[in-house]
């Protein structure tokens, strides 16, 4: 409790630490500095009526002063606010942030600037910070007290009751009555005392944050919310008032709105002396003239209102701050005024995606001789009642991965179809097949994403549903979506047909094949095109895993348990029904992808052939050990070397049929570590793996494949081309292996802007000297993550916040989830995963470390849950398998007898290789 004699500055009353915050700056930035020169003191009245003094250089632009005020308040969403002052003509005008302060305020000692709300959004849930909502609530309190926010008696009494609840807490008859006697919140308050206390009595248990929320929720529905009237007359001399809002221009007669002109209807706004002109777009159905004219008191009044209109339009309608116009060389015409600052979209993206100290409040009350005031202290969590339940983080994972999934769907339904629309080369039957099978799925998930976003907003306290207590669940939303998906099962079953028909059309049309290749080189197509075609089937697996974790977490008595169990039953039924299609299409997709990476080979994707493993082995020849890329299929083992084509394809040199093959270890025989010999019907080959675990994987897979091919009694098909030049021995190729450093500097860099063809799994395995199997690919598509991670390089000081998508053994980095394509990528195959040692001096929680040779990356999760989810999945990429922890368990399906028989040694290998236990 603060003693009555103690007077605190505004920052302290809002709970700000004494040191200046940096929440309004980018990470690593310092507070704004002022230009050198004589310092001038400027007084600013804040929304809590406390006046603060700020010292700035006499040459400093007004933005420097505004930044000082915002840093003092620790305000991130600062662009909703502005500094207002009374000019010599006694007009209230906004301080232009691009001009020097002292060129606008001639007598700073006699002027007090007011820090007030400038832009009123239509929905207060767009304000992400509780501090911002608190300041908006103070602005509503001011508007109500001065009579600017007019409303009926019932609404006024309810508004005041929420203000009182926020300031003094729960209703107490004596205390509430005395408080209302000493504080005037609105004109004619005495006549509404009984109604105010009646409403106040109903708010028991409501926190100050909830009271602010309800105050803004009510205020935004009032016609005069955020309205600032500017007197004018029409052509007939009728007295009117003009105003501007997020939707456009408003016309009032008294306090009644009589007309509104949406921004989309306004073609141009201008003023000529005292006349304010609105030029509308032609509309045959409208009775209004093309140009409306209003007369205002003076040219200054016209210009002031015109400036406000320009700023409102830019803030709410533009995606980014407009660029300054080039200055005329000789003559200028018209005003050079422009909007400065971030637009609403930029503010929303910055606050949502940037790392700054989020500062909610905790109510504290102190008394003075005249009245009672309230100030709030900060806590490190996002809200006073921050969700801590694991179900919330599971729901958030659903949201983040759904955002990525919808982007992936758009690659097919929007981007790819736009490319196909430019040239009429795709058969109508295939075009119809794509449209009818993907567009309905895309539309369903668009609606689903909106529902999930709304539910998370409610869960986080950014919607009034949290007062009812029915927001902490997500199973009902998932059940509704999965029931909608069940109706589209027939479409999902045909997604494999789309993949096959598109490939068939590409074989028939060289131009279509080139068009698809060109599309795969675009930044938005960060994976192979066929991977996007299978995304809806893979998403079903993600839903199943999410619901399994949710049902495992919930007790049977939880309100969301029944819906979650029903959703899990429905999605399990769908996965079982579509499992055959999914397994078949995953194999075809992988064979088609490998076909693009190989040259000197005939048709790879033939019926009955299954892909098993690919990776690097060293082949022993007369010249010694040479690095070769091996591909194991269900009928043959093919070995290649890296070619010098434009796409860095691998050239096939030889084929070993599996039928009749035998295998044995031969380290002692040849003196080569981790070596084994393959004995075929016509030739034998000696190869060496990079380590013992790689040797074990290859030998087990080859033995299993030999058993299966002999059981099927199916002869091997010749994979090689008939050209003699393609049948040269590996020794004639003379291709040298590239180092990781050479790789990083080349076109196929592991972290680069585009050119995905040089960054496929085959190329990564080549450079990392490792291998992956079809089982690994199945694990990878089932386990995917999206969300924010903070990244730090080995020798850098600061953390960079990025939107990260984990899929296909890689991390893809975006500036935010709204970006259409990644900035860079990092394949994880071959990397080691550990936690930082104390000597590395990281001093942060939830940090894991990825390193390969001299390449080191640190990543920091935003919560313990995301850390526990990220580390095991990243470890899966490192050790190629399932990591079982004390709190997490994953279930994997077998796609064939081969993969089922492989699962036990794979799991054993994972336990042996994994050195990280969580």
């Amino acid at each position: 409790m603060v003693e009555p004699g103690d007077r605190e500055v505004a920052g302290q009353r809002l709970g700000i630490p004494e040191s200046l915050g940096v929440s309004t700056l980018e990470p690593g930035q310092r507070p704004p500095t002022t230009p050198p020169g004589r310092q001038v003191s400027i007084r600013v009245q804040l929304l809590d009526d406390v006046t603060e003094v700020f010292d700035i250089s006499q040459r400093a632009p007004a933005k420097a002063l505004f930044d000082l005020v915002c840093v003092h308040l620790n305000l991130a969403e600062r662009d909703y606010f502005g500094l207002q002052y009374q000019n010599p003509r006694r007009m209230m005008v906004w301080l232009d942030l691009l001009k020097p302060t002292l060129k606008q305020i001639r007598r700073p000692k006699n002027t007090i600037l007011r820090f007030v709300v400038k832009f009123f959004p239509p929905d207060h849930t767009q304000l992400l910070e509780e501090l911002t909502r608190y300041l908006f609530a103070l602005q509503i309190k001011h508007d109500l007290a001065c009579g600017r926010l007019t409303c009926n008696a019932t609404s006024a009494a309810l508004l005041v009751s929420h203000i009182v609840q926020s300031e003094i807490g729960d209703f107490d008859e004596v205390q509430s009555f005395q408080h209302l006697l000493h504080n005037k919140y609105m004109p004619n308050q005495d006549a509404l005392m009984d109604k105010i206390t009646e409403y106040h009595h109903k708010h028991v248990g409501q926190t100050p944050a909830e009271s602010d929320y309800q105050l803004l929720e009510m205020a935004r529905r009032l016609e005069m919310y955020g309205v600032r009237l500017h007197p004018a007359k029409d052509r007939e001399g009728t007295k009117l008032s003009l105003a501007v809002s997020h939707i456009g221009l408003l016309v009032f007669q008294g306090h009644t709105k009589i007309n509104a002109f949406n921004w989309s209807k306004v073609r141009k706004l201008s003023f000529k002396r005292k006349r304010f002109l609105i030029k509308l777009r032609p509309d045959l159905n409208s009775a209004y003239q093309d140009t409306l004219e209003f007369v205002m008191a003076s040219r200054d009044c016209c210009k002031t209102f015109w400036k406000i209109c320009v700023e409102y339009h830019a803030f709410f309608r533009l995606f980014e701050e407009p660029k300054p116009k080039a200055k005329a060389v000789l003559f200028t015409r018209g005003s050079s005024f422009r909007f400065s600052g971030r637009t609403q979209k930029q503010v929303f993206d910055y606050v949502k995606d940037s790392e700054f100290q989020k500062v909610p409040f905790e109510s504290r009350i102190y008394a003075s001789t005249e009245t009672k005031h309230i100030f709030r202290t900060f806590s490190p969590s996002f809200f006073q009642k921050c969700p801590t339940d694991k179900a919330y983080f599971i729901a958030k994972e659903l949201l983040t991965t759904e955002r990525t999934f919808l982007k992936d769907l758009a690659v097919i339904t929007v981007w790819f179809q736009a490319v196909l629309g430019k040239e009429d080369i795709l058969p109508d039957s295939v075009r119809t097949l794509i449209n009818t099978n993907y567009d309905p799925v895309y539309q369903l998930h668009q609606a689903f994403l909106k529902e999930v976003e709304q539910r998370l907003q409610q869960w986080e306290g950014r919607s009034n549903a949290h007062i009812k207590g029915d927001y902490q669940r997500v199973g009902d939303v998932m059940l509704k979506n999965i029931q909608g998906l069940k109706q589209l099962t027939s479409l999902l079953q045909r997604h494999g047909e789309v993949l096959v028909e598109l490939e068939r059309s590409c074989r028939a049309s060289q131009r279509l094949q080139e068009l698809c290749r060109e599309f795969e080189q675009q930044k938005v197509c960060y994976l192979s095109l066929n991977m996007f075609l299978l995304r809806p089937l893979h998403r079903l697996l993600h839903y199943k895993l999410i619901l399994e974790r949710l049902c495992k977490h919930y007790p049977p008595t939880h309100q969301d348990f029944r819906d979650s169990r029903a959703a899990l039953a429905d999605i399990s039924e769908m996965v079982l029904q579509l499992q055959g299609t999914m397994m078949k299409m995953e194999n075809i997709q992988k064979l088609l992808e490998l076909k693009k990476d190989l040259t000197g080979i005939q048709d790879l994707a033939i019926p009955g052939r299954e892909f098993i493993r690919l990776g690097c082995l060293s082949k022993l020849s007369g010249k010694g050990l040479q690095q070769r890329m091996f591909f194991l299929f269900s009928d043959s083992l093919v070995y290649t070397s890296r070619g010098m084509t434009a796409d860095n394809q691998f050239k096939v040199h030889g084929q070993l049929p599996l039928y009749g093959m035998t295998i044995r270890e031969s380290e002692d025989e040849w003196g080569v570590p981790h070596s084994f010999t393959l004995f075929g019907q016509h030739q034998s080959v000696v190869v060496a793996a990079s380590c013992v675990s790689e040797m074990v994987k290859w030998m087990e897979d080859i033995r299993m494949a030999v058993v299966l091919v002999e059981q099927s009694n199916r002869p091997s098909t010749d994979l090689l081309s008939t050209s003699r030049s393609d049948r040269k021995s590996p020794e004639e190729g003379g291709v040298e292996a590239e180092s990781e450093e050479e790789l990083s500097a080349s076109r196929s860099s592991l972290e680069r802007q585009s050119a995905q063809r040089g960054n496929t799994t085959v190329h990564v395995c080549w450079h990392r000297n490792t291998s992956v199997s079809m089982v690994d690919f199945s694990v990878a598509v089932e386990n995917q993550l999206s969300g924010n991670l903070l990244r730090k390089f080995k020798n850098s000081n600061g953390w960079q916040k990025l939107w990260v998508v984990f899929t296909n053994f890689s991390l893809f980095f975006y500036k935010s989830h709204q970006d259409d394509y990644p900035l860079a990528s990092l394949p994880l195959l071959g990397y080691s995963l550990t936690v930082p040692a104390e000597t590395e001096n990281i001093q942060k929680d939830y940090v894991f470390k990825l390193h390969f040779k001299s390449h080191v990356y640190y990543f920091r999760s935003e919560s313990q849950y995301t850390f526990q989810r990220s580390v095991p999945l990243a470890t899966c990429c490192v050790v190629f398998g399932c990591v079982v922890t004390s709190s997490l368990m994953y279930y994997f399906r077998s796609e064939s007898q081969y993969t089922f028989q492989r699962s036990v040694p794979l799991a054993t290998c994972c336990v042996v290789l994994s050195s990280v236990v969580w």
Side-chain angles (χ1 to χ4, degrees):
M1 187 69 70
V2 180
E3 296 300 325
D6 294 341
R7 180 90 177 151
E8 298 160 336
V9 298
Q12 291 172 328
R13 289 181 60 188
L14 290 176
I16 310 294
E18 292 183 4
S19 60
L20 292 178
V22 292
S23 68
T24 60
L25 307 177
E26 297 292 342
Q29 271 189 300
R30 297 179 179 273
T33 57
T34 57
R38 186 170 64 89
Q39 297 290 302
V40 178
S41 296
I42 303 293
R43 291 184 294 169
V44 178
Q45 185 180 28
L46 303 177
L47 280 163
D48 61 353
D49 294 330
V50 171
T51 300
E52 292 293 327
V53 178
F54 297 92
D55 294 329
I56 62 169
S57 169
Q58 61 181 355
R59 291 180 292 174
K63 188 177 185 301
L65 173 62
F66 182 72
D67 287 345
L68 284 175
V69 177
C70 293
V71 169
H72 175 75
L73 294 174
N74 207 7
L75 180 62
E77 296 173 290
R78 59 184 180 179
D79 300 83
Y80 288 102
F81 301 86
L83 293 172
Q84 203 173 42
Y85 68 99
Q86 190 177 62
N87 67 8
R89 295 179 180 83
R90 297 187 176 277
M91 293 175 53
M92 295 302 297
V93 295
W94 294 103
L95 196 68
D96 191 333
L97 300 185
L98 297 180
K99 295 180 180 180
T101 303
L102 295 187
K103 284 193 175 182
Q104 303 176 70
I105 305 173
R106 300 298 182 182
R107 304 174 64 185
K109 291 184 179 180
N110 300 326
T111 303
I112 297 180
L113 281 77
R114 295 193 306 155
F115 181 83
V116 293
V117 175
K118 188 174 186 179
F119 301 110
F120 290 81
D123 189 352
H124 60 93
T125 59
Q126 295 172 351
L127 306 174
L128 301 184
E129 284 257 282
E130 188 182 338
L131 171 60
T132 312
R133 292 195 293 273
Y134 172 63
L135 295 177
F136 264 73
L138 291 179
Q139 184 66 65
I140 296 301
K141 177 182 171 182
H142 277 279
D143 292 350
L144 190 64
C146 69
R148 182 182 289 162
L149 183 61
T150 58
C151 55
N152 60 44
T154 301
S155 297
L158 192 52
L159 289 171
V160 173
S161 69
H162 285 299
I163 296 174
V164 175
Q165 175 71 22
S166 176
E167 293 192 352
I168 68 173
D170 289 344
F171 175 77
D172 177 88
E173 187 173 359
V174 176
Q175 183 187 25
S176 301
F177 184 79
Q178 290 294 326
H179 186 80
L180 288 171
L181 284 179
H182 290 97
N183 295 273
K184 297 298 180 184
Y185 295 108
M186 57 173 294
N188 303 320
Q189 178 177 301
D190 293 343
L192 297 174
M193 290 280 281
D194 293 339
K195 195 173 286 289
I196 294 171
T197 54
E198 177 187 346
Y199 287 133
H200 183 202
H201 190 269
K202 297 179 180 179
H203 303 330
V204 174
Q206 191 168 285
T207 66
E210 292 169 344
S211 297
D212 291 345
Y213 188 99
Q214 292 301 318
L215 179 69
L216 296 176
E217 179 69 21
M218 282 200 59
R220 75 180 182 93
R221 302 177 186 275
L222 301 177
E223 193 167 68
M224 297 300 294
Y225 167 71
V227 169
R228 303 295 183 257
L229 298 177
H230 297 258
K233 294 180 180 179
D234 61 12
R235 289 181 175 178
E236 286 74 31
T238 305
K239 290 184 178 181
L240 303 170
S241 294
L242 300 180
V244 63
S245 73
H246 66 281
I247 64 169
L249 293 168
L250 310 175
V251 182
F252 285 82
Q253 193 164 29
H255 287 89
T256 303
K257 183 171 68 177
I258 62 173
N259 213 336
F261 301 100
N262 195 284
W263 290 123
S264 60
K265 297 179 181 179
V266 177
R267 181 181 176 187
K268 182 180 179 181
L269 294 177
S270 61
F271 66 94
K272 185 178 293 185
R273 296 184 180 89
K274 298 194 299 183
R275 291 183 296 137
F276 186 82
L277 305 174
I278 306 174
K279 183 172 288 188
L280 303 175
R281 300 186 185 278
D283 187 355
L284 299 178
N285 299 323
S286 175
Y288 294 107
Q289 305 172 19
D290 289 346
T291 303
L292 301 178
E293 181 179 310
F294 298 90
V295 180
M296 306 189 82
S298 65
R299 179 185 181 278
D300 287 345
C301 293
C302 264
K303 186 173 183 179
T304 298
F305 182 61
W306 174 80
K307 285 183 176 181
I308 296 172
C309 293
V310 170
E311 292 185 311
Y312 250 86
H313 177 269
F315 184 76
F316 286 107
R317 296 279 289 184
L318 301 185
F319 288 143
E320 59 184 21
E321 178 183 355
K323 301 296 185 292
K325 296 180 180 178
K327 293 185 178 179
V329 178
L330 296 176
F331 303 102
T332 60
R333 182 178 180 183
S335 173
S336 62
F337 174 78
R338 69 177 179 89
F339 170 75
S340 64
R342 294 175 295 199
T343 65
Q344 187 188 35
K345 182 181 184 302
Q346 288 176 311
V347 175
F348 187 84
D349 292 343
Y350 168 74
V351 175
K352 194 170 184 180
D353 299 327
S354 296
E355 184 194 15
F356 56 85
Q357 183 186 5
K358 297 184 176 181
V359 283
F361 307 106
E362 203 175 88
S363 299
R364 292 175 61 187
I365 303 170
Y366 68 92
S368 66
T369 53
E370 293 94 4
T371 184
K372 287 191 176 180
H373 300 280
I374 183 170
F375 71 99
R376 297 171 178 179
T377 59
F378 298 106
S379 63
S381 58
F382 188 73
F383 280 91
Q384 186 175 351
K385 296 182 178 179
C386 178
T388 56
D389 186 13
K390 182 179 178 181
Y392 164 76
F393 293 103
I394 296 175
K396 192 171 183 180
E397 180 184 337
L398 171 66
L399 171 65
T400 56
T401 53
E402 189 69 17
R403 283 172 173 164
T404 297
F405 173 60
L406 199 63
K407 290 280 187 183
D408 290 348
L409 274 180
V411 172
I412 300 298
T413 59
V414 179
W415 297 94
F416 185 53
Q417 292 195 29
V419 170
L420 294 177
K422 296 178 181 178
E423 298 186 36
D424 190 17
I425 57 176
L426 187 68
D428 292 339
S429 59
V430 182
R431 187 187 303 274
T432 303
L433 192 64
I434 295 175
N435 293 341
T436 56
N437 286 282
Y438 284 89
D439 287 353
V441 178
Y442 181 59
Q443 294 167 6
L444 184 144
H445 284 281
Q446 279 183 310
F448 176 53
L449 177 59
K450 290 181 180 178
E451 285 190 73
V452 176
E453 286 178 333
Q454 183 181 10
R455 179 57 57 87
L456 264 294
Q457 287 178 353
Q458 294 169 344
W459 209 322
E460 293 166 353
R462 288 184 281 148
S463 177
N464 61 0
H466 69 281
I467 294 177
K468 302 176 183 177
D470 60 354
Y471 62 97
Q472 293 185 344
R473 55 196 173 100
V474 74
D476 58 328
V477 180
M478 291 198 71
L479 179 60
K480 177 184 175 182
N481 177 65
I482 290 170
Q483 288 175 342
L485 274 175
K486 287 187 70 175
Q487 299 177 10
L488 302 179
T489 302
S490 60
L491 301 183
L492 295 173
Q493 286 175 327
R494 302 193 67 186
H495 284 191
E497 183 181 346
V498 173
L499 187 151
V500 173
E501 290 301 319
L502 181 60
E503 175 64 19
R504 186 174 298 162
S505 300
C506 286
R507 289 200 301 266
S509 170
Q510 181 67 26
R511 178 54 191 152
L512 179 59
Q513 187 175 356
E514 293 173 356
L515 201 65
C516 291
R517 288 288 183 100
E518 292 171 3
F519 178 71
E520 285 191 321
Q521 295 298 324
Q522 293 187 16
K523 293 179 179 179
V524 71
C525 193
Y526 65 98
L527 301 172
S528 66
L529 177 60
N530 290 337
M531 282 288 289
F532 292 105
L533 291 173
L534 297 182
R535 274 296 197 247
L537 293 174
H538 293 156
R539 188 57 175 157
L540 303 180
L541 301 175
H542 305 160
Y543 289 152
K544 185 172 181 288
L545 291 173
I546 287 173
L547 283 165
E548 283 174 349
R549 286 198 299 276
L550 199 62
C551 291
K552 185 178 180 181
H553 167 68
Y554 282 144
T557 55
H558 194 280
Q559 61 175 343
D560 201 27
F561 181 79
R562 179 175 295 180
D563 287 339
S564 300
R565 290 289 297 179
L568 177 58
D570 285 345
I571 199 66
S572 300
E573 180 184 347
M574 289 185 68
V575 168
L576 186 62
Q577 188 175 356
L578 295 168
Q579 189 172 18
T581 300
M582 200 180 309
M583 292 163 49
K584 179 181 178 182
M585 288 305 108
E586 283 178 357
N587 184 66
I588 292 177
Q589 182 273 327
K590 184 51 59 181
L591 292 175
L592 293 177
E593 182 180 328
L594 293 178
K595 179 183 175 183
K596 298 174 185 177
D597 283 314
L598 298 175
T599 182
I601 200 168
Q602 292 181 338
D603 192 8
L604 187 62
I606 63 172
R609 175 173 291 145
E610 293 185 15
F611 162 72
I612 298 175
R613 178 174 291 275
L614 64 87
C616 272
L617 293 171
S618 295
K619 182 176 177 293
L620 184 63
S621 66
K623 295 182 179 181
L625 289 172
Q626 291 185 319
Q627 184 180 358
R628 294 290 176 257
M629 196 72 183
F630 280 73
F631 299 84
L632 177 62
F633 302 101
S634 57
D635 56 350
S636 300
L637 178 65
V638 176
Y639 54 96
T640 69
S641 63
R642 190 169 185 266
M644 303 304 292
T645 64
D647 288 335
N648 292 325
Q649 291 174 297
F650 286 82
K651 184 179 181 180
V652 176
H653 288 291
Q655 171 188 3
L656 298 173
L658 296 182
Y659 195 86
M661 179 182 286
T662 59
I663 183 173
R664 75 162 182 247
E665 291 187 41
S666 51
E667 181 173 338
D668 296 336
E669 180 180 353
W670 296 99
V672 178
H674 321 310
S675 63
F676 55 95
T677 304
L678 302 170
F679 298 93
Q681 293 179 343
H682 304 292
Q683 68 179 107
S684 62
V685 176
V686 179
V687 294
S690 60
C691 60
V692 108
S693 61
E694 281 290 301
M695 181 186 72
V696 170
K697 292 176 187 177
W698 276 107
M699 292 183 68
E700 287 183 347
D701 280 358
I702 293 173
R703 283 171 176 158
M704 186 66 65
V706 169
V707 171
L708 292 177
V709 76
E710 290 180 346
Q711 287 178 349
S712 64
N713 199 25
R714 186 173 61 246
S716 300
T717 305
D718 191 8
L719 285 163
L720 300 183
S721 301
T722 55
S723 172
R724 290 181 60 88
S725 61
D726 290 332
R727 291 183 179 268
K728 291 182 180 179
S729 67
E731 290 73 23
E732 297 177 22
V735 180
E736 297 293 332
E738 292 180 89
S739 67
E740 178 79 8
E741 286 71 24
E742 291 170 335
L743 174 64
S744 298
S746 69
R747 174 178 174 272
S748 57
S749 168
L750 293 187
E751 188 169 354
R752 68 196 192 288
Q753 295 289 329
S754 59
Q756 283 83 2
R757 287 308 320 148
N759 199 18
T760 63
T761 305
V762 176
H763 290 84
V764 176
C765 287
W766 171 263
H767 292 291
R768 303 275 171 80
N769 197 19
T770 187
S771 68
V772 291
S773 70
M774 192 62 198
V775 176
D776 303 323
F777 283 107
S778 297
V779 172
V781 298
E782 288 186 6
N783 294 278
Q784 300 184 19
L785 278 178
S786 302
N788 289 315
L789 281 180
L790 292 144
R791 183 182 66 175
K792 179 183 178 298
F793 297 104
K794 179 180 179 180
N795 297 320
S796 65
N797 295 322
W799 294 85
Q800 180 186 16
K801 189 167 188 177
L802 297 166
W803 176 263
V804 182
V805 174
F806 172 63
T807 184
N808 201 41
F809 306 115
S810 300
L811 295 177
F812 295 91
F813 304 106
Y814 299 74
K815 188 175 182 181
S816 74
H817 71 83
Q818 296 173 326
D819 292 351
D820 292 321
Y821 53 84
L823 302 171
S825 64
L826 178 65
L828 298 183
L829 293 174
Y831 265 73
S832 297
L833 185 144
T834 58
V835 293
E838 291 184 7
T839 55
E840 294 174 87
N841 198 29
I842 296 299
Q843 297 179 349
K844 298 288 184 180
D845 294 330
Y846 314 134
V847 176
F848 59 93
K849 173 184 175 182
L850 290 169
H851 50 98
F852 176 79
K853 295 185 178 179
S854 61
H855 302 267
V856 178
Y857 301 90
Y858 299 98
F859 292 95
R860 181 150 58 100
S861 303
E862 61 184 4
S863 67
Q864 184 179 5
Y865 174 83
T866 54
F867 176 75
Q868 290 176 331
R869 285 285 293 139
S870 300
V871 170
L873 294 191
T875 307
C876 285
C877 283
V878 177
V879 300
F880 315 126
C882 166
V883 177
V884 180
T885 72
S886 59
S887 60
L888 296 175
M889 183 174 294
Y890 299 92
Y891 299 90
F892 301 110
R893 59 183 171 79
S894 298
E895 61 180 19
S896 63
Q897 180 185 4
Y898 162 76
T899 55
F900 176 77
Q901 291 173 323
R902 274 285 293 132
S903 57
V904 173
L906 174 69
T908 306
C909 182
C910 288
V911 173
V912 172
L913 289 176
S914 178
S915 60
V916 182
V917 181
W918 303 100

